[in-house]
Amino acid sequence: AQSVTQLGSHVSVSEGALVLLRCNYSSSVPPYLFWYVQYPNQGLQLLLKYTSAATLVKGINGFEAEFKKSETSFHLTKPSAHMSDAAEYFCAVSDGGFGNEKLTFGTGTRLTIIP
Amino acid sequence: KAGVTQTPRYLIKTRGQQVTLSCSPISGHRSVSWYQQTPGQGLQFLFEYFSETQRNKGNFPGRFSGRQFSNSRSEMNVSTLELGDSALYLCASSFRQGNTGELFFGEGSRLTVL
């Protein structure tokens, strides 16, 4: 069974500083990995996805993530934090394949931006 | 293109009642999934429908059920509500089965059980 672990339920960074949100996965098959963002009182929006193409994935709003098989990690980064990045971020895994739309989510990381 | 629409957005029920939530997927999307989000358990998969058939089911009791109509719209029902059913219920749609693509989420239906 697939699972993801997000290290740090709360992360605070200063505006303009590097954002690093950690995600480690466990999967018995080559995984598909996703990062979603959730703003207050809203649904989830896809930031980026890894589906076995390039290991460095670029997403929306300046975010990117690197798939590292040896470390079973898929950490999310952004070089310079903006106030609008304050939200909750979820890492998710799927083993993909026809007939499987199920995502397994991590517990989320709430990102706070300090002015 | 309209996004995923969920109704109602907010509702309050009492224990023992039942509730029906509705989800209209993005036009052309044939797969609809449902997730429950709570502070304690996070996001948990309920079930997924494709072409009016349930293709996947999470670990929820039989009180939780769903269906999909020929126009891909979906409903989920929770019977005999319990306090622990209070949650944000999120619907997501996608174009096809096989999760190499993106799930598009609605804003959710927030259920409070008193």
Side-chain angles (χ1 to χ4, degrees):
Chain A
Q2 300 82 246
S3 66
V4 289
T5 302
Q6 291 184 242
L7 296 175
S9 58
H10 292 84
V11 171
S12 295
V13 301
S14 298
E15 190 175 14
L18 171 71
V19 175
L20 171 60
L21 304 182
R22 299 179 188 274
C23 173
N24 288 87
Y25 71 90
S26 172
S27 177
S28 57
V29 298
Y32 296 110
L33 294 161
F34 306 81
W35 275 99
Y36 282 85
V37 61
Q38 186 177 33
Y39 298 99
N41 298 315
Q42 293 189 24
L44 279 71
Q45 180 184 9
L46 181 70
L47 279 175
L48 47 81
K49 62 184 180 185
Y50 167 77
T51 56
S52 74
T55 56
L56 183 61
V57 181
K58 294 187 183 299
I60 62 171
N61 302 337
F63 285 94
E64 63 181 36
E66 186 172 8
F67 174 73
K68 292 186 176 181
K69 185 177 179 180
S70 61
E71 298 177 8
T72 61
S73 68
F74 190 58
H75 302 330
L76 181 71
T77 61
K78 181 174 180 178
S80 177
H82 191 273
M83 295 300 294
S84 61
D85 294 328
E88 189 151 22
Y89 293 79
F90 294 91
C91 182
V93 65
S94 166
D95 64 7
F98 187 81
N100 181 20
E101 287 286 4
K102 177 184 175 183
L103 287 180
T104 300
F105 285 90
T107 51
T109 298
R110 185 169 298 279
L111 177 64
T112 299
I113 310 299
I114 303 167
Chain B
K1 196 181 216 183
V4 177
T5 304
Q6 292 189 245
T7 57
R9 288 292 313 280
Y10 302 91
L11 67 166
I12 300 173
K13 294 285 187 179
T14 57
R15 280 181 297 173
Q17 287 187 311
Q18 67 93 26
V19 66
T20 299
L21 309 178
S22 179
C23 173
S24 293
I26 291 172
S27 177
H29 286 191
R30 297 173 62 193
S31 173
V32 173
S33 304
W34 289 89
Y35 289 80
Q36 182 196 63
Q37 186 177 24
T38 61
Q41 300 296 319
L43 282 152
Q44 293 188 288
F45 174 78
L46 280 158
F47 27 64
E48 184 245 336
Y49 287 87
F50 179 78
S51 294
E52 302 178 64
T53 302
Q54 186 180 90
R55 300 295 178 139
N56 235 325
K57 189 177 190 304
N59 295 323
F60 279 82
R63 300 186 296 107
F64 292 80
S65 63
R67 59 178 175 168
Q68 186 181 33
F69 303 95
S70 58
N71 62 358
S72 294
R73 190 178 70 86
S74 178
E75 289 181 346
M76 68 163 282
N77 183 277
V78 187
S79 62
T80 320
L81 284 166
E82 301 176 359
L83 295 178
D85 297 332
S86 294
L88 180 66
Y89 290 89
L90 292 165
C91 169
S93 74
S94 66
F95 179 67
R96 63 178 178 87
Q97 274 194 305
N99 206 3
T100 57
E102 174 182 355
L103 291 186
F104 292 82
F105 283 84
E107 293 187 316
S109 292
R110 185 168 295 281
L111 170 66
T112 300
V113 182
L114 302 176

